[in-house]
Amino acid sequence: VLGVFAALAASAAMWLRQRWAVSATVMLLIFPATWTLAEWVRDWIFTGLPWTSSGYAHSISPLAGFAPIMGVFGLTLLSALIAGSLVLLPTKKWAIAIVVILLAAGFGLEKIAARIEAAVKKTVTGGLRTADIAFGRPAVGTRQMTDAIIANL
């Protein structure tokens, strides 16, 4: 039953291609959009099965840096965009730029997030090595906490 949504996404993308007679380059935008929409609909209809989204496969990949910004469906969209770019690579040499830019940006975002997380832990724990902390409402003001985190970057 879950595979039906992937088939519907591919069918919708191909129907749109035939209906509008669009080029392969435009399909680079249409297919990831229909794929992501199909996964979102599947997640919405079959609540309780969120782990079937393909974006979860990228939680430990260079695309993981986009996760806090775009969520799991954003990762799905980006991974489909990269896959489509790789398919176009033999005929469109510029497609490699999309792959490189997205992977580099995701890697960079992941490194930035790691530095911020380390600065927050250092600020909250005073530099002591402790177990992970569950954040509640801090006793200090938000401005003071933000200044302290930035100072520890």
Side-chain angles (χ1 to χ4, degrees), residues 20-110:
W20 292 335
V22 297
S23 67
T25 304
V26 175
M27 283 301 293
L28 182 61
L29 301 175
I30 291 174
F31 183 74
T34 57
W35 183 269
T36 304
L37 180 65
E39 286 206 352
W40 177 77
V41 169
R42 183 185 62 202
D43 186 56
W44 181 64
I45 291 173
F46 296 111
T47 59
L49 292 174
W51 58 85
T52 59
S53 295
S54 60
Y56 284 111
H58 300 284
S59 62
I60 56 171
S61 77
L63 292 179
F66 288 103
I69 299 167
M70 302 178 76
V72 69
F73 295 113
L75 293 180
T76 298
L77 181 72
L78 293 177
S79 64
L81 186 63
I82 288 174
S85 297
L86 292 175
V87 168
L88 286 179
L89 195 56
T91 58
K92 310 285 186 194
K93 298 302 178 195
W94 53 261
I96 193 68
I98 294 173
V99 175
V100 170
I101 288 169
L102 287 176
L103 293 178
F107 185 74
L109 287 170
E110 192 173 2

Side-chain angles (χ1 to χ4, degrees), residues 123-143:
T123 302
V124 172
T125 64
L128 300 174
R129 297 186 67 79
T130 61
D132 285 339
I133 298 168
F135 287 101
R137 188 160 179 82
V140 297
T142 306
R143 179 72 179 169

